[in-house]
Amino acid sequence: MENGRVNRLLERLLEVDWRDIGGQRRSQVLLLQEFLRRSTWWAVELESEEWPFFDVAWLVDPEIRADEEVIRRFDEDTSSGIGWYERRIGVWALHFEALRDAGIALPDLPHPFEPLFLLFERGSEISVNGAGFIEVDFLGMRRGRARDHLTREQLAPMEPELLDDLDWEYSLAQLAEVFAGLEDGSELTISLHEVKGKRRGVHFTWADGKLSTEIEAGNGSVDEALRSVENERRMVVVGGESSAVKHPGRQRITMIRPASSEEFRAMAEISVSVLRDGFRVSNTSSLYYRAWRQADGADIDLPDLGIFPEPVGSFRWQTE
């Protein structure tokens, strides 16, 4: 029996960084929902009493399994950092690929584990709590019943770039809502995960009826970041004014409030474009946020922003 698919999957799994990078990416929840959908159809087809996590290959043909040496290598090389569910899913998936290598006829259904492969490769782990929730990326969704997921419509793309697009679009929409909702005396920072040197990111200040967006390029060039997103054209859309500030490597855009939802959306587009295109941030898992009140320094929780909160004690924005 050829082991091409088994070996390719083994190498793919061994390349995963099994440390959970965190974040609050809605795309990861969509991948989990897509897994539940696929698992439901496989459970129906195979009349499985178990769901959603089960050994699909064993129900198809319990005599065909991945080689013990393959399983041993997977176990040994992923012994550090991998979770219980991730380990079981990896083994079941290797057995499933053994079925495909053996040429066993399978139901005309999408691959049962592919959404989870992507979820793991994008830096998430899953867990199940006693209340019936499956958690991924610090977000929880109710598992529900299998029949709740019995739909033919695919729920998530299988291309990493499209998943990143979903996360950026979600964060952009949420950021526009934050612009409209926060009051004077509030500040918000969205920055990259960087420890050494000056941080790169965007900083928002609500004061005196104005929303100011300050872009910091760290040791790089603000002008270069702005050029990469055609920012001058975008500023005209929001009626903003661009000005230099006294800190090197920074530029500020100010918008008078109240503004329309379209103007808030345009300002959010500037910020997202600087982060994604200007600073070449591929996905939102590379970002932190911190929001607070100027008066007392109390943090403001923005759980729907789609970005992970800044860890306590990390590098803080240097205001003027």
Side-chain angles (χ1 to χ4, degrees), residues 6-25:
V6 170
N7 290 333
R8 284 194 295 273
L9 177 59
L10 175 62
E11 295 305 318
R12 183 179 179 183
L13 293 174
L14 294 183
E15 289 179 0
V16 173
D17 184 348
W18 294 102
R19 296 171 298 176
D20 189 2
I21 66 173
Q24 293 182 315
R25 293 166 291 168

Side-chain angles (χ1 to χ4, degrees), residues 183-187 205-208 292-295 300:
E183 301 177 350
D184 271 12
S186 303
E187 296 192 44
T205 303
W206 287 256
D208 300 324
W292 68 96
R293 293 195 301 263
Q294 294 172 335
I300 301 173

Side-chain angles (χ1 to χ4, degrees), residues 18-312:
W18 294 102
R19 296 171 298 176
D20 189 2
I21 66 173
Q24 293 182 315
R25 293 166 291 168
R26 292 310 192 269
S27 64
Q28 300 296 75
V29 175
L30 291 178
L31 286 172
L32 178 58
Q33 291 174 331
E34 175 61 13
F35 162 72
L36 294 176
R37 184 189 77 86
R38 295 186 183 198
S39 178
T40 296
W41 282 107
W42 279 95
V44 169
E45 181 72 24
L46 301 176
E47 299 181 349
S48 173
E49 296 182 359
E50 296 184 48
W51 178 85
F53 305 105
F54 63 96
D55 188 348
V56 174
W58 188 87
L59 293 176
V60 174
D61 190 334
E63 298 299 321
I64 298 180
R65 313 298 274 171
D67 291 343
E68 291 184 3
E69 176 62 22
V70 170
I71 302 302
R72 183 196 62 77
R73 184 181 171 200
F74 173 67
D75 283 341
E76 289 182 355
D77 290 1
T78 61
S79 59
S80 176
I82 192 171
W84 186 88
Y85 281 100
E86 288 75 21
R87 192 265 171 189
R88 297 288 296 222
I89 291 164
V91 171
W92 291 336
L94 289 166
H95 292 323
F96 184 80
E97 294 307 292
L99 286 180
R100 300 177 70 199
D101 279 335
I104 301 299
L106 295 171
D108 185 18
L109 293 171
H111 197 294
F113 301 111
E114 182 62 28
L116 294 183
F117 297 159
L118 284 169
L119 187 147
F120 299 151
E121 287 171 332
R122 289 164 56 79
S124 295
E125 62 182 21
I126 57 176
S127 61
V128 180
N129 65 30
F133 282 84
I134 305 176
E135 297 179 348
V136 58
D137 253 15
F138 297 94
L139 298 168
M141 61 167 291
R142 185 174 293 280
R143 184 181 69 172
R145 300 162 296 184
R147 64 174 178 266
D148 297 333
H149 303 274
L150 203 60
T151 175
R152 292 290 185 184
E153 181 182 358
Q154 183 169 317
L155 303 178
M158 293 295 103
E159 298 81 15
E161 296 80 6
L162 295 181
L163 292 166
D164 290 340
D165 288 343
L166 288 173
D167 289 328
W168 281 111
E169 177 59 33
Y170 180 85
S171 292
L172 190 156
Q174 294 301 311
L175 187 57
E177 292 190 11
V178 168
F179 288 162
L182 286 184
E183 301 177 350
D184 271 12
S186 303
E187 296 192 44
L188 166 66
T189 293
I190 300 176
S191 56
L192 280 66
H193 295 187
E194 296 179 331
V195 177
K196 296 181 180 180
K198 294 183 178 179
R199 75 157 77 214
R200 292 183 295 162
V202 288
H203 179 74
F204 309 97
T205 303
W206 287 256
D208 300 324
K210 296 180 181 180
L211 168 59
S212 295
T213 303
E214 191 171 296
I215 302 165
E216 180 171 348
N219 296 323
S221 167
V222 171
D223 291 337
E224 180 181 351
L226 294 179
R227 282 197 302 270
S228 68
V229 297
E230 301 179 5
N231 207 65
E232 293 300 328
R233 179 184 63 79
R234 293 173 182 266
M235 285 196 307
V236 173
V237 175
V238 300
E241 296 179 353
S242 177
S243 62
V245 294
K246 70 180 184 180
H247 292 286
R250 293 190 184 182
Q251 186 160 335
R252 175 176 294 156
I253 304 167
T254 302
M255 181 172 60
I256 307 298
R257 300 175 76 193
S260 66
S261 58
E262 290 79 9
E263 290 174 320
F264 284 131
R265 168 91 184 185
M267 182 69 92
E269 287 180 351
I270 293 174
S271 306
V272 166
S273 293
V274 166
L275 291 166
R276 186 177 190 178
D277 303 321
F279 296 147
R280 297 178 177 83
V281 179
S282 60
N283 58 70
T284 58
S285 66
S286 299
L287 302 174
Y288 285 135
Y289 88 87
R290 181 183 177 238
W292 68 96
R293 293 195 301 263
Q294 294 172 335
D296 55 9
D299 286 340
I300 301 173
D301 190 24
L302 301 174
D304 295 327
L305 192 54
I307 298 172
F308 197 60
E310 187 176 73
V312 175

